[in-house]
Amino acid sequence: MIEEMVKKLRAEIPAGVRIEAAAKTRSPEEISQAVAAGIDIIGENYVQELLAVRDRVQGNPAWHFIGHLQTNKVKKIVGLVDMIETVDSLKLAKEIEKRAEPLGKVMKVLIEVNSGREEQKAGVFPEAAVGLIEEIARLPHLSVRGLMTMGPLAGDPEEARPYFRATRELFEKLKASPVPGAEMEILSMGMTNSYRVAVSEGANLVRIGTGIFGTR
Ligand SMILES: *Cc1c(COP(=O)(O)O)cnc(C)c1O
């Protein structure tokens, strides 16, 4: 089942777009099946779940943190993940710096953009993103690799299109006028119901949960 879902997605999604399995609530066995089917990035939302499954998954995927990260949990995951996709404040970035430095690790991060400018949601507002990236790019143990956005939750994925587009435009702007020390390689957007729209708007990393593992 998981294998078929991954094969179908891989056949449909353009080769230049990477597929990350969003693995919240999934068992190490389910995640291992996705890896065996060719998924090489696993996204986890919760620190406890990451700790519970990280060493029980077969294969050797990259691990990305994709949930809201509290500063007091940073030290638990810095040694365990390859990328944190949800950096949205200088406070969080400084905590990552503080915990990565003694490990001699440079943590790859994406800047999470609150493309819908929703008050209660995570992410930096688009107009504040460049300033934040300039600050974070100065931290020696963080390496900014691109942008991530969720977009407002909508039933109709077409409703997410303007937000994906605005995030892509910000990504392109940062490519054209780079912030020293910040690379724009990865544009992470799109989930099971919205990845087609996200890919058509330039996403090169999509985060898929139910579309790989079935309903939660
Ligand atoms: C759960 C989750 C996804 C995937 O959601 P699905 O609708 O199950 O594909 C993607 N990104 C984040 C940040 C998530 O928490």
Side-chain angles (χ1 to χ4, degrees):
M1 183 63 176
I2 290 172
E3 186 184 355
E4 280 165 40
M5 301 286 252
V6 170
K7 289 210 167 117
K8 248 176 75 184
L9 284 167
R10 195 59 282 175
E12 184 201 323
I13 294 173
V17 178
R18 300 184 73 185
I19 302 173
E20 166 174 7
K24 56 181 173 279
T25 77
R26 312 301 179 170
S27 68
E29 292 71 28
E30 290 173 293
I31 301 168
S32 299
Q33 281 178 41
V35 174
I39 294 291
D40 60 359
I41 306 175
I42 305 300
E44 287 287 355
N45 288 71
Y46 304 106
V47 171
Q48 283 315 316
E49 279 190 36
L50 174 72
L51 297 176
V53 302
R54 173 74 171 73
D55 294 328
R56 297 170 58 204
V57 168
Q58 310 289 311
N60 193 22
W63 293 84
H64 286 195
F65 196 81
I66 61 173
H68 176 65
L69 183 56
Q70 292 170 279
T71 50
N72 64 352
K73 302 263 174 77
V74 169
K75 67 173 180 293
K76 293 191 169 160
I77 70 158
V78 159
L80 298 178
V81 298
D82 300 286
M83 182 180 283
I84 299 173
E85 295 195 23
T86 45
V87 175
D88 63 355
S89 71
L90 187 57
K91 179 172 176 250
L92 176 58
K94 282 182 167 166
E95 181 64 19
I96 296 168
E97 169 66 27
K98 181 177 159 188
R99 302 298 176 179
E101 196 266 344
L103 303 181
K105 179 167 184 169
V106 177
M107 178 61 71
K108 294 181 220 165
V109 303
L110 303 182
I111 304 305
E112 181 176 0
V113 179
N114 184 346
S115 53
R117 309 181 82 264
E118 297 168 284
E119 259 339 310
Q120 18 18 308
K121 280 251 187 106
V124 60
F125 278 14
E127 64 272 22
V130 174
L132 178 63
I133 291 168
E134 285 169 347
E135 302 261 24
I136 293 176
R138 294 194 188 105
L139 302 174
H141 297 88
L142 275 75
S143 172
V144 177
R145 297 303 177 96
L147 306 179
M148 179 272 209
T149 198
M150 296 284 287
L153 274 191
D156 178 358
E158 279 300 327
E159 286 174 29
R161 188 180 291 279
Y163 305 100
F164 291 155
R165 182 168 297 175
T167 308
R168 195 265 309 266
E169 284 168 0
L170 179 59
F171 183 76
E172 296 297 341
K173 180 177 133 187
L174 281 157
K175 262 192 176 174
S177 323
V179 171
E183 292 173 52
M184 286 293 132
E185 299 169 359
I186 300 178
L187 182 56
S188 174
M189 44 187 208
M191 320 200 304
T192 298
N193 81 334
S194 59
Y195 70 84
R196 290 186 184 87
V197 174
V199 167
S200 75
E201 292 299 337
N204 59 20
L205 178 62
V206 294
R207 307 177 309 271
I208 301 194
T210 52
I212 289 174
F213 299 108
T215 49
R216 277 185 294 275

